[in-house]
């Protein structure tokens, strides 16, 4: 059990999955997973899309940020999703990280504290 708002956590994971689908070419894999440690749990979403450039990494959590990668199916992108995800994760006492190289896909990890058991 993690310390989280269920609606906010659903929005976070839904947005990360939606982005993975939106930016992955047809036929590529998207992986999701969970890892549990003593004091926290991590949830990750990994894609095989175009990845994120070093320049884009400096702005990817800003509101209305337009990054260089474009959706593979022509879907619209307002540039709000990752900023909202980051704010929600931090409001729940967690952290959001991204590992990516240009051309090598992206892996977003959400780390949330576990609830304290009596």
């Amino acid at each position: 059990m993690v310390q989280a708002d269920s609606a906010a956590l659903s929005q976070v994971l839904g947005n990360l999955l939606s982005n993975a689908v939106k930016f992955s070419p047809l036929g590529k894999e998207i992986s999701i997973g969970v890892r549990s440690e003593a004091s926290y749990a991590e949830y990750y979403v990994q894609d095989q899309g175009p990845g994120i450039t070093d320049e884009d990494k400096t702005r990817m959590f800003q509101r209305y940020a337009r990054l260089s990668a474009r959706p593979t199916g022509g879907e619209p992108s307002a540039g709000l999703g990752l900023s909202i995800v980051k704010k929600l994760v931090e409001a729940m006492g967690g952290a959001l990280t991204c590992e990516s190289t240009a051309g090598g896909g992206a892996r977003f990890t959400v780390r949330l504290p576990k609830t304290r058991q009596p």
Side-chain angles (χ1 to χ4, degrees):
M1 300 273 290
V2 293
Q3 180 177 311
D5 176 271
S6 61
L9 184 55
S10 290
Q11 184 174 356
V12 164
L13 296 176
N15 184 283
L16 292 176
L17 282 169
S18 174
N19 278 356
V21 170
K22 188 187 299 188
F23 290 97
S24 291
L26 188 62
K28 294 292 185 176
E29 285 189 17
I30 296 169
S31 303
I32 58 173
V34 178
R35 184 173 72 107
S36 181
E37 293 293 333
S39 62
Y40 64 88
E42 287 184 341
Y43 305 82
Y44 74 84
V45 176
Q46 184 169 342
D47 65 46
Q48 295 179 335
I52 300 171
T53 66
D54 288 339
E55 181 183 339
D56 284 347
K57 285 179 187 175
T58 64
R59 327 179 273 119
M60 67 187 198
F61 297 120
Q62 295 174 1
R63 293 177 66 195
Y64 302 109
R66 297 289 184 150
L67 306 182
S68 58
R70 294 291 168 236
T72 56
E75 302 93 336
S77 180
L80 288 171
L82 290 176
S83 68
I84 292 169
V85 165
K86 186 168 178 66
K87 285 189 184 301
L88 290 172
V89 169
E90 289 176 349
M92 292 184 284
L96 173 66
T97 59
C98 175
E99 298 170 48
S100 180
T101 55
R107 178 183 178 121
F108 287 89
T109 302
V110 174
R111 179 181 282 190
L112 293 171
K114 286 187 174 178
T115 57
R116 296 186 182 170
Q117 301 296 321

